[in-house]
Structures are given as structure tokens and as C-alpha cells.
Amino acid sequence: FNPSTEEVAAIITLGSEADTNAAIAAAKAAFDSWSVTSKEERLGYLNALVEQYKNRSEEMAQAMSIEMGAPISLSQSSQTSAGLGHLKTTIRELENFEFERGLNDRSPNDRIHYEAIGVCGLITPWNWPMNQVILKVANALAAGCTCILKPSEISPLSSLLLAEMID
């Protein structure tokens, strides 16, 4: 429901246990190839996502305005830009992150290797959807993890749009 009008905004289907298990299986299968992508490949995908996000920013603002009942001006000026800002920050951090580094000066031959841990289960609240969602999704992808996102059933429209952009 759009809280500002109390009208039906969309019809969604809540996932079942079988849906959850299917999502986990798909994310596990995708992890094998995604986790070994290079930092440069991940940066390429994240930069492409930034372009998608910019190109569809009005759609994103509309989705958040409808699902949360927020004034469109707030969705356009603050909420959509929060997601874009977090995406850009993730990219900057990934550009400077070293997945392999020395342990310390006393142990020059010892190395620390950072690697993706696996499938991330991400649950987000209804408020400031792209702020909450991007902070989790972008960082999981940057680290080489696959993820399953469970947005709030109160504000799922922006997450559905983001999933389209990622696809």
C-alpha cells in the first residue's frame, strides 16, 4: 500500500520455504564463478550498475515514493542519491582494497589473503530502502560474495528495480 494514499501500490508474493531454498541453491551455484572474478571485473560490473542506477534514477525515486509514501521531491533529492552515493563509495573502497597483503614488517614472507566467504543473507528494513539495500548488496558483491536479499514486504518495489538493474 502507498501510505500517503492508502491505495494498493503493487501486489507481491511472499516467498515460501521452497522459494528460499531455491534462492539459496542459485546463490550457491553462482558463488563458484562470482567469487573468483577479479577485482577489475567486479569494478566493471559495479560501474555498470552506477550507470544503470543513474539512467533509471527517476524510476527509483518513483518506486520509493510509492512504497513509502514519501514526497517525490525527497525521494529524488535524498533517497535515490543515498543509494548512488553508497555505490560510488563501495567502488572507491574496492579500487583501493588489497585482497592480498603482507602480515607485517617482522614477517615479510607471511601473507594475508582476503576471500569471499559465501552466500550472504541480507535483510533490510522498510525505511530509506536504497540506503539500506545498497550498503549491503554492493559490499557483498564487491567482496566476491553472492547474496539473497529479503527487503521489507512494506517497501519491496525499489529492491525489485535494483534487481532488474543488476540483472
Side-chain angles (χ1 to χ4, degrees), residues 53 57-83 128-130:
Y53 196 93
S57 64
E58 183 58 29
E59 285 178 80
M60 184 59 77
Q62 292 291 335
M64 287 188 285
S65 183
I66 290 168
E67 68 192 1
M68 294 190 331
I72 189 63
S73 59
L74 178 65
S75 293
Q76 290 166 330
S77 66
S78 298
Q79 293 173 330
T80 301
S81 61
W128 288 89
M130 279 303 102

Side-chain angles (χ1 to χ4, degrees), residues 91-130:
I91 289 168
R92 275 194 313 274
E93 291 299 318
L94 181 57
E95 286 171 338
N96 296 314
F97 190 82
E98 296 298 327
F99 284 88
E100 181 180 322
R101 59 179 84 156
L103 178 60
N104 57 41
D105 293 339
R106 296 181 312 254
S107 305
N109 296 323
D110 294 335
R111 312 293 297 162
I112 296 174
H113 296 271
Y114 294 91
E115 58 186 40
I117 194 166
V119 176
C120 297
L122 310 175
I123 301 172
T124 57
W126 67 271
N127 59 329
W128 288 89
M130 279 303 102

Side-chain angles (χ1 to χ4, degrees), residues 1 9 16 19 36 49 61 67 72-73 75 77 79-80 85 88 103 108 114 135-136 148-149 153:
F1 291 92
S16 65
D19 294 324
V36 296
L49 180 57
E67 68 192 1
I72 189 63
S73 59
S75 293
S77 66
Q79 293 173 330
T80 301
K88 290 178 177 180
L103 178 60
Y114 294 91
L135 281 170
K136 293 182 178 199
I148 301 165
L149 174 65
E153 65 279 4

Side-chain angles (χ1 to χ4, degrees), residues 33-34 36-46 94:
S33 60
W34 181 253
V36 296
T37 57
S38 68
K39 179 168 84 169
E40 290 72 27
E41 286 176 281
R42 291 180 209 156
L43 284 166
Y45 283 114
L46 289 170
L94 181 57

